Amino acid sequence: MKEICGDVRLTFTQKLQYLALNIPRGFWGYLTLLKSTHVAPRFSFSEISTESPTRQLLDRVFSRVLQEAVPKKTIDVFDIGCGTGYVRDVLASYGYSGTYTGIDMVREGAYSDTHKAFSSTLIVDDVTTLKTDKKFDLVISMTVLEHVVDDTAAVVVSHTIVKRGGTQIHVVPMFPTLFLYFWHGFRQYNKRRLKMLFGKADEATAYYRVGGLASFFTHWCWITLPERILGLGTIRKRLPKLYRLSLFVSFKIDWFLPFLATAYIIVKRNK
């Protein structure tokens, strides 16, 4: 069955087709064995915001993974699906600088050609057909691959343009997010597909899973149910202290129940 893009308005039939494709292959993909490390960062109550659980977990875990994987601070960066180019700000906040090349299908209005830390270039094109001889220290995609029609081709390009000794970092949503966001992107990822794209976990490839059972259900109760199903708006922002307390407890429980990870961070070094 051809993949359906969940980023556009779908008919009822298309929604059913989307679920009919992604639910079976999501469960099937979980039968694959893939070594990964569960990362559950510690938060104080004051550090928790009204953002989604996965967003807050990713922000914390990504900073740790990035600085361990890319110790060099002056780097050439290639950003797949760059959007506004916010990855530059993230990298600069951790002391990185150098050159930055972003690629996207359209130029976002908020994208700026100038940046305090990076000499920047924007390519408006499809990454899957990119032709370049330039190599990069860091090739990165942040929850982008699920929106690419041919994610295999995008990853092949990523493998091709990373320097020897360079690093790829990709952040992808996992199968459980289908039950949180429903129709989003072309797909959610599972261990089988990740292994097909990036290979098994070894000295060059590491998988970090983010989220757990408690934060999954906290997201469902506070965001999916009221906002996406009932249309009640952002209750979490009307009751911020209660929402933050729920997350504070959930993040602690995730340490002991690391199931239903909502995102994976893949780090692949080109040795």
Side-chain angles (χ1 to χ4, degrees):
M1 185 184 296
K2 182 180 179 181
E3 289 187 313
I4 296 171
C5 179
D7 298 328
V8 298
R9 189 176 184 85
L10 301 178
T11 65
F12 180 73
T13 300
Q14 288 173 324
K15 289 179 179 180
L16 291 180
Q17 290 173 335
Y18 186 97
L19 296 177
L21 173 64
N22 285 295
I23 289 176
R25 72 177 178 179
F27 280 115
W28 174 251
Y30 261 79
L31 298 177
T32 300
L33 295 178
L34 182 66
K35 182 181 178 181
S36 63
T37 301
H38 180 250
V39 186
R42 298 182 184 276
F43 289 86
S44 66
F45 182 76
S46 62
E47 292 174 317
I48 297 175
S49 72
T50 56
E51 292 291 330
S52 72
T54 301
R55 173 50 55 198
Q56 296 185 62
L57 288 167
L58 278 176
D59 286 346
R60 183 67 64 88
V61 176
F62 178 76
S63 66
R64 169 184 155 183
V65 170
L66 171 69
Q67 293 178 86
E68 289 179 356
V70 188
K72 187 171 71 169
K73 292 298 183 179
T74 302
I75 55 176
D76 298 320
V77 181
F78 188 87
D79 182 11
I80 299 173
C82 62
T84 61
Y86 83 100
V87 163
R88 294 175 298 182
D89 298 328
V90 174
L91 294 173
S93 70
Y94 300 121
Y96 293 95
S97 61
T99 68
Y100 169 93
T101 302
I103 188 168
D104 214 323
M105 296 293 288
V106 297
R107 181 188 177 100
E108 291 280 351
Y111 180 88
S112 174
D113 291 318
T114 60
H115 192 271
K116 61 183 179 181
F118 288 92
S119 173
S120 301
T121 301
L122 174 65
I123 301 173
V124 179
D125 203 350
D126 184 347
V127 67
T128 64
T129 58
L130 178 70
K131 304 295 183 184
T132 181
D133 294 325
K134 187 173 181 180
K135 306 289 185 180
F136 300 87
D137 298 300
L138 174 62
V139 179
I140 188 169
S141 72
M142 299 284 284
T143 59
V144 167
L145 293 178
E146 69 273 17
H147 301 286
V148 178
V149 178
D150 189 349
D151 59 340
T152 301
V155 172
V156 168
V157 169
S158 182
H159 293 336
T160 302
I161 64 176
V162 67
K163 291 180 182 177
R164 183 173 296 278
T167 303
Q168 298 178 57
I169 300 179
H170 302 278
V171 180
V172 298
M174 295 300 286
F175 172 56
T177 61
L178 176 60
F179 304 100
L180 299 179
Y181 297 104
F182 305 131
W183 305 277
H184 179 78
F186 287 95
R187 69 194 71 84
Q188 301 75 37
Y189 287 84
N190 54 59
K191 292 182 287 185
R192 181 175 180 271
R193 194 176 189 103
L194 291 181
K195 195 171 184 179
M196 177 190 74
L197 291 172
F198 301 104
K200 66 179 182 179
D202 54 25
E203 291 183 356
T205 308
Y207 295 90
Y208 301 91
R209 62 186 194 277
V210 177
L213 187 66
S215 59
F216 173 88
F217 281 109
T218 297
H219 185 127
W220 200 92
C221 292
W222 278 94
I223 301 176
T224 305
L225 180 62
E227 295 179 23
R228 300 189 69 88
I229 297 177
L230 300 179
L232 299 177
T234 52
I235 292 178
R236 54 191 158 127
K237 294 187 177 178
R238 284 180 245 161
L239 300 169
K241 289 186 178 179
L242 185 56
Y243 174 70
R244 290 168 59 210
L245 179 60
S246 300
L247 279 185
F248 180 71
V249 174
S250 296
F251 289 156
K252 290 185 178 296
I253 295 175
D254 281 349
W255 275 85
F256 307 101
L257 298 173
F259 316 112
L260 296 181
T262 50
Y264 265 48
I265 301 176
I266 304 100
V267 177
K268 191 171 186 67
R269 299 173 179 84
N270 186 18
K271 294 193 171 182

